[in-house]
PDB file of all heavy atoms in Angstrom:
ATOM      1  N   GLN A  63     142.080  96.512 -83.995  1.00  0.00           N
ATOM      2  CA  GLN A  63     141.944  97.940 -84.275  1.00  0.00           C
ATOM      3  C   GLN A  63     141.970  98.225 -85.773  1.00  0.00           C
ATOM      4  O   GLN A  63     141.389  99.201 -86.247  1.00  0.00           O
ATOM      5  CB  GLN A  63     143.011  98.743 -83.519  1.00  0.00           C
ATOM      6  CG  GLN A  63     142.871  98.605 -82.001  1.00  0.00           C
ATOM      7  CD  GLN A  63     141.441  98.786 -81.508  1.00  0.00           C
ATOM      8  OE1 GLN A  63     140.690  99.625 -82.014  1.00  0.00           O
ATOM      9  NE2 GLN A  63     141.030  97.983 -80.533  1.00  0.00           N
ATOM     10  N   LEU A 115     143.670 115.559 -94.493  1.00  0.00           N
ATOM     11  CA  LEU A 115     145.080 115.523 -94.097  1.00  0.00           C
ATOM     12  C   LEU A 115     145.586 114.088 -94.020  1.00  0.00           C
ATOM     13  O   LEU A 115     144.830 113.149 -93.829  1.00  0.00           O
ATOM     14  CB  LEU A 115     145.256 116.212 -92.734  1.00  0.00           C
ATOM     15  CG  LEU A 115     144.813 117.667 -92.679  1.00  0.00           C
ATOM     16  CD1 LEU A 115     145.040 118.222 -91.277  1.00  0.00           C
ATOM     17  CD2 LEU A 115     145.555 118.520 -93.718  1.00  0.00           C
ATOM     18  N   LEU A 141     121.532 118.225 -86.133  1.00  0.00           N
ATOM     19  CA  LEU A 141     120.878 118.045 -87.437  1.00  0.00           C
ATOM     20  C   LEU A 141     119.586 117.214 -87.303  1.00  0.00           C
ATOM     21  O   LEU A 141     118.741 117.234 -88.193  1.00  0.00           O
ATOM     22  CB  LEU A 141     121.847 117.370 -88.416  1.00  0.00           C
ATOM     23  CG  LEU A 141     121.515 117.459 -89.913  1.00  0.00           C
ATOM     24  CD1 LEU A 141     121.574 118.899 -90.411  1.00  0.00           C
ATOM     25  CD2 LEU A 141     122.449 116.577 -90.742  1.00  0.00           C
ATOM     26  N   GLN A 154     119.179 110.800 -88.368  1.00  0.00           N
ATOM     27  CA  GLN A 154     118.664 109.760 -87.463  1.00  0.00           C
ATOM     28  C   GLN A 154     119.424 108.456 -87.644  1.00  0.00           C
ATOM     29  O   GLN A 154     119.688 107.730 -86.688  1.00  0.00           O
ATOM     30  CB  GLN A 154     117.188 109.495 -87.742  1.00  0.00           C
ATOM     31  CG  GLN A 154     116.257 110.530 -87.154  1.00  0.00           C
ATOM     32  CD  GLN A 154     114.813 110.238 -87.503  1.00  0.00           C
ATOM     33  OE1 GLN A 154     114.512 109.292 -88.217  1.00  0.00           O
ATOM     34  NE2 GLN A 154     113.906 111.055 -86.991  1.00  0.00           N
ATOM     35  N   GLU A 207     124.638 130.483 -93.032  1.00  0.00           N
ATOM     36  CA  GLU A 207     123.744 131.517 -92.499  1.00  0.00           C
ATOM     37  C   GLU A 207     122.363 131.445 -93.156  1.00  0.00           C
ATOM     38  O   GLU A 207     121.339 131.496 -92.478  1.00  0.00           O
ATOM     39  CB  GLU A 207     124.338 132.926 -92.712  1.00  0.00           C
ATOM     40  CG  GLU A 207     125.636 133.204 -91.956  1.00  0.00           C
ATOM     41  CD  GLU A 207     125.463 133.350 -90.432  1.00  0.00           C
ATOM     42  OE1 GLU A 207     124.308 133.286 -89.957  1.00  0.00           O
ATOM     43  OE2 GLU A 207     126.502 133.510 -89.752  1.00  0.00           O
ATOM     44  N   GLN A 224     129.630 123.017 -77.050  1.00  0.00           N
ATOM     45  CA  GLN A 224     129.581 121.611 -76.629  1.00  0.00           C
ATOM     46  C   GLN A 224     130.893 120.898 -76.944  1.00  0.00           C
ATOM     47  O   GLN A 224     131.390 120.099 -76.162  1.00  0.00           O
ATOM     48  CB  GLN A 224     128.430 120.896 -77.354  1.00  0.00           C
ATOM     49  CG  GLN A 224     127.070 121.510 -77.064  1.00  0.00           C
ATOM     50  CD  GLN A 224     126.006 120.922 -77.966  1.00  0.00           C
ATOM     51  OE1 GLN A 224     126.132 120.926 -79.188  1.00  0.00           O
ATOM     52  NE2 GLN A 224     124.941 120.398 -77.373  1.00  0.00           N
ATOM     53  N   VAL A 229     135.909 118.241 -75.560  1.00  0.00           N
ATOM     54  CA  VAL A 229     137.337 118.141 -75.887  1.00  0.00           C
ATOM     55  C   VAL A 229     138.175 118.414 -74.628  1.00  0.00           C
ATOM     56  O   VAL A 229     139.103 117.673 -74.320  1.00  0.00           O
ATOM     57  CB  VAL A 229     137.703 119.110 -77.041  1.00  0.00           C
ATOM     58  CG1 VAL A 229     139.209 119.309 -77.148  1.00  0.00           C
ATOM     59  CG2 VAL A 229     137.157 118.563 -78.358  1.00  0.00           C
ATOM     60  N   ARG A 240     145.688 121.377 -74.056  1.00  0.00           N
ATOM     61  CA  ARG A 240     144.954 121.975 -75.171  1.00  0.00           C
ATOM     62  C   ARG A 240     145.796 123.088 -75.789  1.00  0.00           C
ATOM     63  O   ARG A 240     146.233 124.002 -75.089  1.00  0.00           O
ATOM     64  CB  ARG A 240     143.628 122.541 -74.656  1.00  0.00           C
ATOM     65  CG  ARG A 240     142.786 123.186 -75.744  1.00  0.00           C
ATOM     66  CD  ARG A 240     141.492 123.778 -75.156  1.00  0.00           C
ATOM     67  NE  ARG A 240     140.873 124.668 -76.121  1.00  0.00           N
ATOM     68  CZ  ARG A 240     139.648 124.518 -76.608  1.00  0.00           C
ATOM     69  NH1 ARG A 240     138.884 123.527 -76.198  1.00  0.00           N
ATOM     70  NH2 ARG A 240     139.164 125.371 -77.485  1.00  0.00           N
ATOM     71  N   GLU A 257     147.193 120.696-100.352  1.00  0.00           N
ATOM     72  CA  GLU A 257     147.811 119.909-101.423  1.00  0.00           C
ATOM     73  C   GLU A 257     147.483 118.419-101.295  1.00  0.00           C
ATOM     74  O   GLU A 257     147.737 117.651-102.203  1.00  0.00           O
ATOM     75  CB  GLU A 257     149.328 120.116-101.446  1.00  0.00           C
ATOM     76  CG  GLU A 257     150.063 119.637-100.212  1.00  0.00           C
ATOM     77  CD  GLU A 257     150.241 120.735 -99.153  1.00  0.00           C
ATOM     78  OE1 GLU A 257     149.292 121.531 -98.957  1.00  0.00           O
ATOM     79  OE2 GLU A 257     151.311 120.779 -98.533  1.00  0.00           O
ATOM     80  N   LEU A 263     142.099 112.111-104.154  1.00  0.00           N
ATOM     81  CA  LEU A 263     141.185 111.956-105.291  1.00  0.00           C
ATOM     82  C   LEU A 263     141.798 111.115-106.399  1.00  0.00           C
ATOM     83  O   LEU A 263     141.105 110.350-107.068  1.00  0.00           O
ATOM     84  CB  LEU A 263     140.766 113.327-105.835  1.00  0.00           C
ATOM     85  CG  LEU A 263     139.953 114.208-104.883  1.00  0.00           C
ATOM     86  CD1 LEU A 263     139.549 115.502-105.580  1.00  0.00           C
ATOM     87  CD2 LEU A 263     138.729 113.489-104.354  1.00  0.00           C
TER      88      LEU A 263
END
Side-chain angles (χ1 to χ4, degrees):
Chain A
Q63 298 313 322
L115 301 180
L141 197 65
Q154 282 178 358
E207 295 289 357
Q224 300 171 306
V229 165
R240 180 182 166 121
E257 64 268 39
L263 296 183

